[in-house]
């Protein structure tokens, strides 16, 4: 049974489920459902799909995650960034509005789900660590800007298409003479109202004496207020007959049973976007889940999260949806509303099912401009240009990675942008580790500690050089260490012993081992001893399986102070290096 609970977390939290949890989960579900109805419609439009696809993608996936996921607060469904990636990917293989476009969305969800599920079963959750935080932040910031820019066409009531910021802005400028003023009025009013709701409604309601919980619910339902007001305005004033574009007829039905395509050409075209969506979606989801879990001293299992998200995406593929993941905004709302278990998500799915069956006729006159306003207000919260300032002051490598990701995503598209960001991060990491920090250290007077001679007042022996290597040794940096030691010894004929202080060396690969053997041989030819100190156990285990220790022209010391005592002559004058 414990092994089964590992893959079915519902068996774990379900055993302690009680009336108190039920009450809190139901309240959270009501709040999140109210929020998700307009949001799901909006994100489907962002993905280039019919509005009902957003609701369908928010029903079965949530239920499956409740069974297989480990986070008690994560709310799974369509999110802005994944919707943008979906539109970018399937827009290259099918024309928007066609049956092929919808099938491509199902296929993309199925591929993403299969990849996530496979990664989870193979315990590959650690692979997400290869995406650095600056790259993710840069990508999400650039995506937020792209998404907001892409929705301006709906606010202005014009046709303007493009996948990059220059393309979008160019199309908007060229179609400015076609701006539809009633649509602009609706869109700008909705944006202004939603920003006011986000910043001021809760405090205003509390000032007039409304209970905190009710004020919170009404604030979260702000987008619904915009939807109701603008829908009534379009219907009452007949604005759809005057050119205001509306959602139109949305099928009243449960999520349909659908089947993704297994055509080799389509699968081949979507395989790389599916990998990108899987990784980006998982990183976003697990980051949110871990943040919320920490607040309640809970933990999540990243590998099981992969399984939960994989099941959710497979569910979306067979029920008329498109790729989904854990969303930041909806998850925070779910958490703040008091959700205690994943059952809150299941109750949310039930609420959305009722909406899909009974409420869709009410959105017939809902203007596209309102949905665009909902998206713009939501995604602008993702834009964080301060990451540029933070990384500029902290690390030039991280600044390069985040700036490149932002510029390439805006200029060349989301897929190229994030791929380039990952590649640049990897190359910068390789470059940095190819030139590891190696400090020459001396003895701190009156202690057994050794510190950098350029940073501290220490004692040194002219015949002894101790180099602290602050990086694992591998094929990229092995030659660098070899050249550094060669240069240091040839510059000072008084040197008789070299000690490599290995306290920060976690690994030595075969190329580095051969370099150490070469260093040992060169120093031996020069009459200089090579010694090692503070070698970690796992590293020593590997060195014992090599020829290095047997041929070493020196000793291996447990502590650097032992090496100092053994290799310095108490009668030889020592040097004092001032800080």
């Amino acid at each position: 049974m414990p092994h089964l609970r590992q893959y079915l977390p519902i068996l774990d939290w379900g055993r302690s489920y009680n009336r108190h949890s039920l009450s809190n989960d139901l309240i959270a579900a009501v709040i999140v459902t109210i929020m998700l109805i307009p949001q799901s419609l909006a994100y489907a439009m962002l993905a280039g799909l019919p509005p009902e696809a957003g609701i369908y993608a928010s029903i079965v996936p949530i239920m499956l995650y409740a069974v297989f996921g480990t986070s008690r607060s994560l709310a799974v469904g369509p999110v802005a960034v994944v919707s943008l990636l979906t539109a970018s990917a399937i827009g290259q293989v099918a024309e928007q509005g066609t049956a092929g476009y919808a099938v491509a969305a199902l296929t993309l969800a199925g591929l993403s789900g299969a990849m996530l599920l496979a990664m989870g079963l193979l315990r590959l959750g650690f692979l997400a660590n290869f995406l650095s935080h600056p790259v993710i932040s840069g990508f999400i910031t650039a995506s937020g800007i792209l998404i907001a820019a892409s929705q301006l066409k709906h606010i202005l009531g014009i046709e303007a298409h493009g996948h990059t910021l220059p393309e979008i802005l160019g199309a908007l400028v060229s179609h400015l003479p076609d701006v539809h003023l009633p649509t602009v009025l609706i869109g700008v009013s909705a944006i202004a109202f939603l920003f006011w709701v986000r910043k001021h409604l809760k405090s205003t309601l509390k000032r007039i004496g409304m209970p905190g919980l009710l004020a919170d619910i009404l604030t979260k339902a702000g987008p619904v207020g915009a939807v109701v007001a603008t829908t009534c305005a379009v219907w009452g004033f007949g604005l759809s007959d005057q050119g205001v574009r509306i959602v139109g007829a949305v099928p009243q039905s449960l999520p349909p049973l659908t089947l993704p395509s297994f055509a080799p050409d389509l699968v081949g075209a979507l395989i790389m976007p599916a990998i990108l969506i899987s990784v980006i979606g998982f990183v976003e989801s697990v980051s949110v889940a871990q943040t919320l879990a920490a607040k309640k001293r809970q933990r999540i299992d990243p590998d099981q999260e992969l399984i939960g998200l994989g099941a959710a995406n497979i569910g979306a593929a067979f029920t008329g949806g498109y790729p989904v993941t854990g969303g930041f905004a909806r998850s925070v709302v779910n958490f703040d509303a008091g959700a205690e278990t994943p059952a809150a998500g299941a109750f949310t799915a039930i609420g959305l099912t009722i909406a899909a069956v009974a409420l869709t006729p009410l959105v017939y006159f809902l203007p596209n401009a309102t949905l665009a306003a909902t998206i713009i207000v939501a995604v602008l919260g993702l834009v964080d240009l301060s990451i540029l300032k933070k990384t500029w002051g902290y690390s030039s490598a991280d600044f390069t990675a985040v700036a490149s990701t932002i510029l390439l995503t805006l200029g060349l598209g989301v897929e190229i942008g994030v791929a380039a960001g990952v590649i640049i991060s990897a190359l910068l990491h390789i470059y940095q580790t190819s030139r590891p920090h190696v400090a020459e250290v001396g003895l701190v007077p009156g202690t057994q500690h050794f510190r950098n001679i350029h940073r501290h007042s220490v004692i040194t022996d002219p015949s002894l050089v101790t180099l602290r290597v602050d990086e694992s040794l591998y094929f990229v940096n092995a030659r660098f260490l070899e050249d550094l030691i060669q240069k240091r010894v040839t510059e000072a004929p008084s040197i008789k012993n070299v000690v490599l202080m290995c306290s920060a060396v976690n690994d030595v690969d075969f190329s580095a081992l051969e370099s150490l053997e070469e260093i040992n041989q060169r120093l031996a030819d020069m009459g200089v001893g090579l010694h090692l100190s503070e070698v970690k156990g796992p590293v020593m285990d590997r060195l014992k399986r090599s020829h290095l220790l047997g041929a070493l022209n020196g000793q291996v010391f447990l502590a650097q102070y032992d090496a100092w005592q053994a290799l310095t002559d108490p009668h030889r004058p020592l040097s004092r290096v001032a800080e």
Side-chain angles (χ1 to χ4, degrees):
M1 183 64 74
H3 183 72
L4 186 60
R5 285 204 301 270
Q6 176 183 347
Y7 292 101
L8 292 173
I10 190 174
L11 299 178
D12 187 20
W13 58 263
R15 291 183 305 161
S16 58
Y17 201 71
N18 53 40
R19 184 175 298 178
H20 177 73
S21 298
L22 173 64
S23 175
N24 289 337
D25 286 344
L26 284 172
I27 293 173
V30 169
I31 295 174
V32 175
T33 300
I34 292 172
M35 171 190 175
L36 286 189
I37 292 174
Q39 195 179 80
S40 297
L41 297 172
Y43 288 155
M45 183 177 73
L46 175 60
L49 292 162
E52 63 269 17
I55 295 180
Y56 296 159
S58 300
I59 296 177
V60 173
I62 295 179
M63 291 184 170
L64 288 171
Y65 180 82
V67 175
F68 294 101
T70 59
S71 172
R72 302 199 174 195
S73 303
L74 193 70
V76 172
V79 299
V81 173
V82 171
S83 297
L84 176 66
L85 288 168
T86 298
S88 175
I90 61 182
Q92 299 176 22
V93 298
E95 185 178 349
Q96 186 174 328
T98 64
Y101 193 92
V103 171
L106 299 175
T107 305
L108 190 60
L111 287 172
S112 179
M115 291 174 185
L116 289 165
L117 189 61
M119 290 172 65
L121 293 174
L122 294 173
R123 319 298 288 176
L124 298 180
F126 69 91
L127 291 177
N129 298 332
F130 287 92
L131 276 177
S132 69
H133 178 70
V135 168
I136 291 296
S137 297
F139 172 71
I140 290 177
T141 292
S143 296
I145 295 172
L146 271 180
I147 291 168
S150 71
Q151 296 307 298
L152 291 176
K153 63 184 180 183
H154 299 294
I155 300 295
L156 300 176
I158 60 178
E159 288 290 341
H161 301 285
H163 295 291
T164 66
L165 189 60
E167 290 176 355
I168 293 171
L169 294 180
L172 289 173
V173 170
S174 64
H175 287 84
L176 280 180
D178 303 325
V179 167
H180 189 252
L181 292 180
T183 301
V184 172
L185 179 62
I186 292 172
V188 172
S189 299
I191 290 174
F193 173 75
L194 290 172
F195 272 120
W196 179 83
V197 166
R198 176 172 288 195
K199 292 181 178 293
H200 304 294
L201 180 58
K202 189 173 183 178
S203 59
T204 301
L205 293 175
K206 285 186 174 181
R207 275 201 304 270
I208 64 176
M210 185 171 290
L213 178 60
L214 183 57
D216 191 53
I217 292 175
L218 291 177
T219 301
K220 299 297 190 301
V224 176
V227 166
V228 172
T230 54
T231 301
C232 290
V234 170
W235 171 71
F237 294 104
L239 296 180
S240 60
D241 296 330
Q242 300 176 34
V244 173
R245 296 172 184 173
I246 59 176
V247 169
V250 177
Q252 280 183 271
S253 67
L254 296 172
L257 291 177
T258 54
L259 190 66
S261 172
F262 299 98
D265 291 345
L266 181 60
V267 171
L270 295 178
I271 194 74
M272 290 306 298
I275 293 174
L276 184 62
I277 287 173
S278 300
V279 175
I280 293 292
F282 172 64
V283 170
E284 178 180 354
S285 179
V286 79
S287 299
V288 174
Q290 287 176 334
T291 300
L292 297 180
K295 293 183 178 182
K296 290 189 175 181
R297 294 193 176 186
Q298 298 169 348
R299 64 174 298 275
I300 66 165
D301 179 353
D303 293 315
Q304 185 60 33
E305 284 298 289
L306 283 167
I307 294 175
L309 292 173
N313 276 278
I314 291 174
F318 287 93
T319 55
Y322 66 98
V324 298
T325 192
F328 176 77
R330 68 182 67 189
S331 297
V332 171
V333 170
N334 197 38
F335 179 87
D336 291 342
E340 291 197 10
T341 73
F347 296 143
T348 299
I350 293 172
L352 290 171
T353 301
I354 294 171
V357 172
L359 301 181
T360 50
L362 301 179
V363 300
Y364 182 91
F365 288 102
L366 173 61
N368 289 343
T370 302
L371 294 180
T374 302
I375 293 173
I376 290 172
V377 173
V379 300
L380 286 181
L382 301 175
V383 177
D384 179 21
L385 293 175
S386 67
I387 189 69
L388 291 168
K389 181 180 179 181
K390 294 174 184 176
T391 53
W392 173 263
Y394 185 76
S395 167
S396 58
D398 286 335
F399 173 80
T400 301
V402 70
S404 300
T405 302
I406 290 175
L407 292 175
L408 290 172
T409 300
L410 293 177
L412 300 177
V414 290
E415 294 174 3
I416 294 177
V418 72
V422 172
I423 292 171
I424 290 170
S425 293
L427 292 176
L428 287 171
H429 174 74
I430 291 172
Y431 174 75
Q432 289 175 319
T433 57
S434 72
R435 302 177 62 82
H437 180 260
V438 179
E440 184 171 340
V441 299
L443 179 66
V444 178
T447 73
Q448 297 183 10
H449 301 295
F450 291 79
R451 293 294 184 268
N452 192 326
I453 65 172
H454 299 299
R455 292 178 178 268
H456 300 272
S457 177
V458 295
I459 300 170
T460 62
D461 183 340
S463 69
L464 174 66
V465 170
T466 297
L467 300 174
R468 190 190 67 222
V469 184
D470 294 335
E471 184 68 66
S472 293
L473 297 175
Y474 71 122
F475 66 95
V476 173
N477 59 27
R479 185 59 185 267
F480 174 83
L481 181 63
E482 197 174 324
D483 293 342
L484 186 148
I485 294 174
Q486 179 78 9
K487 179 180 179 182
R488 181 68 179 86
V489 172
T490 54
E491 287 178 347
S494 60
I495 295 175
K496 301 300 180 185
N497 291 287
V498 173
V499 180
L500 292 183
M501 187 176 173
C502 302
S503 53
V505 177
N506 295 316
D507 188 32
V508 177
D509 76 355
F510 191 77
S511 296
L513 174 66
E514 290 186 327
S515 285
L516 289 175
E517 291 174 342
E518 180 65 22
I519 291 169
N520 180 62
Q521 184 60 50
R522 287 184 184 178
L523 293 180
D525 293 341
M526 299 166 68
V528 177
L530 175 64
H531 311 269
L532 306 177
S533 73
E534 301 189 8
V535 182
K536 293 185 175 181
V539 176
M540 180 59 76
D541 291 340
R542 297 181 69 176
L543 293 181
K544 286 179 179 178
R545 297 197 295 268
S546 72
H547 299 293
L548 175 65
L549 298 183
L552 192 64
N553 182 36
Q555 304 176 56
V556 178
F557 296 96
L558 180 64
Q560 176 57 32
Y561 189 70
D562 296 338
W564 173 267
Q565 287 184 310
L567 301 175
T568 56
D569 185 347
H571 303 294
R572 186 167 52 240
L574 302 177
S575 301
R576 181 76 173 242
V577 180
E579 183 177 353

